[in-house]
Every structure is written in structure tokens, then in C-alpha cells.
Amino acid sequence: MTIRWLPCLMMLAAALGGCGDHSMTQQNRYGTFTKAALFKDGTEAQVPPKGAIAQGELDRARQTAAPPPVDMALLARGRERFGIYCSPCHGLSGYGDGMIVQRGFPAPPSFHSSRLREADARHFFDVITNGYGAMYSYAARVEPHDRWAIIAYIRALQQSQQTDVAEVPQLRSKLP
């Protein structure tokens, strides 16, 4: 009878024997700039290896390099993002009369001014990315592809204010 229980007791002892060792489930947490014996230089803050690229950075660089082709999906995305990020200050039509301005904040320039109608797309991309004047950077809030979508929508807004109503049917036939 005792021999039959011996394998079970051995397995139980082996299973319980590892319970005191938490090295795999509870590892040391190092505070910022504290000592860590794990690394040769003794610090927890390590410089990334030479040539290391952050995850997603190559795709981000590709999206930043040039605007995507303009189609209805890009314009729809631009309209949505414009409504979220730009319209509070610039207004829904881009004249710089958004709700924030109506509550006393300084008005941004109108997208319909000759200076901004003539500005190239890279200017708008750089302003969204880095900020300009009272406008802060949206680089952390708006992905590069969405910045291009917003710019495409701004161009559509600008075109909408400079087009004669009689030309609208011809413009619609040129859309994809």
C-alpha cells in the first residue's frame, strides 16, 4: 500500500519544491538610473545597440516622406481627423473661427488666405508635426498618414471656396 502512494508523494514533493523559487515570476524591478548588476556598466539604463531602429519607425518614415494618392477614402479620413483635431480652432470651414476662438483664444490664420492657398503640402505637414505660433505639435496625436489625409481635406476646403458653382458637375466627373 505504501509503495503505491510513493510516486504520488514524490510528484507532490517535486511540485511543491519549486514554490519557494520566484525568480521566474517575480523579477527585480530597477528604478530609473539605479545600479543593476545584470549589465557590465552596472546601470539599468542602457543605450540601444548601434543601428537599432524603434519598432514601426521605418513605416513611419515611409509615410512621412511623401503624401499618399488622394482618393475618396483619404478625403473622408481627412474630414474626420480635421473635425477632431483642427476644427476646434480653425472652424469647420477653415476660416479660423472655431469654438476655441469664439471663447476668446487667438484666431489661427484662415486656410483660405492667399498665403496658405499657395503654400505647399509639406508646409502643412511640418506645421502639424512641429506646431507653429500658438499651435502646439500634433506629432504625438496624429499619425503621418492622417496628417496627409488632413492636408488633402484642407486642399478640398480651399478648392470649395474658390470654385464657381457651375463648375461643380465637371469637378465631380474627375473624382475617382
Side-chain angles (χ1 to χ4, degrees):
M1 178 95 176
T2 56
I3 294 185
R4 211 165 73 178
W5 289 99
L6 187 61
C8 291
L9 288 174
M10 289 175 58
M11 288 191 332
L12 183 63
L16 292 176
C19 287
D21 183 22
H22 295 287
S23 64
M24 294 300 285
T25 59
Q26 294 179 349
Q27 296 186 6
N28 292 337
R29 181 192 174 283
Y30 296 110
T32 306
F33 304 114
T34 59
K35 294 185 181 222
L38 180 64
F39 300 107
K40 289 180 186 178
D41 64 359
T43 63
E44 62 80 30
Q46 298 294 302
V47 176
K50 187 174 183 177
I53 299 172
Q55 184 176 2
E57 196 57 36
L58 291 177
D59 188 45
R60 181 180 295 275
R62 183 185 51 75
Q63 289 180 9
T64 302
V70 177
D71 58 10
M72 291 306 288
L74 187 74
L75 286 172
R77 179 71 176 178
R79 180 180 184 201
E80 176 193 41
R81 301 285 101 183
F82 183 91
I84 293 168
Y85 295 107
C86 309
S87 69
C89 295
H90 290 278
L92 292 173
S93 299
Y95 281 102
D97 58 353
M99 293 305 292
I100 300 298
V101 176
Q102 294 174 26
R103 286 175 171 77
F105 284 83
S110 170
F111 291 132
H112 307 292
S113 68
S114 60
R115 179 179 69 85
L116 291 180
R117 279 196 319 266
E118 295 168 8
D120 63 347
R122 179 54 68 174
H123 168 75
F124 288 100
F125 191 89
D126 291 342
V127 168
I128 295 169
T129 303
N130 304 313
Y132 187 84
M135 179 179 155
Y136 55 85
S137 168
Y138 278 84
R141 296 168 182 84
V142 181
E143 292 295 320
H145 184 269
D146 287 344
R147 290 178 225 162
W148 290 120
I150 289 169
I151 294 163
Y153 183 71
I154 289 170
R155 292 298 193 207
L157 281 177
Q158 291 172 329
Q159 185 67 36
S160 74
Q161 301 301 303
Q162 302 300 316
T163 301
D164 191 294
V165 174
E167 297 175 23
V168 171
Q170 293 131 1
L171 290 174
R172 283 185 177 260
S173 65
K174 294 179 183 179
L175 291 175

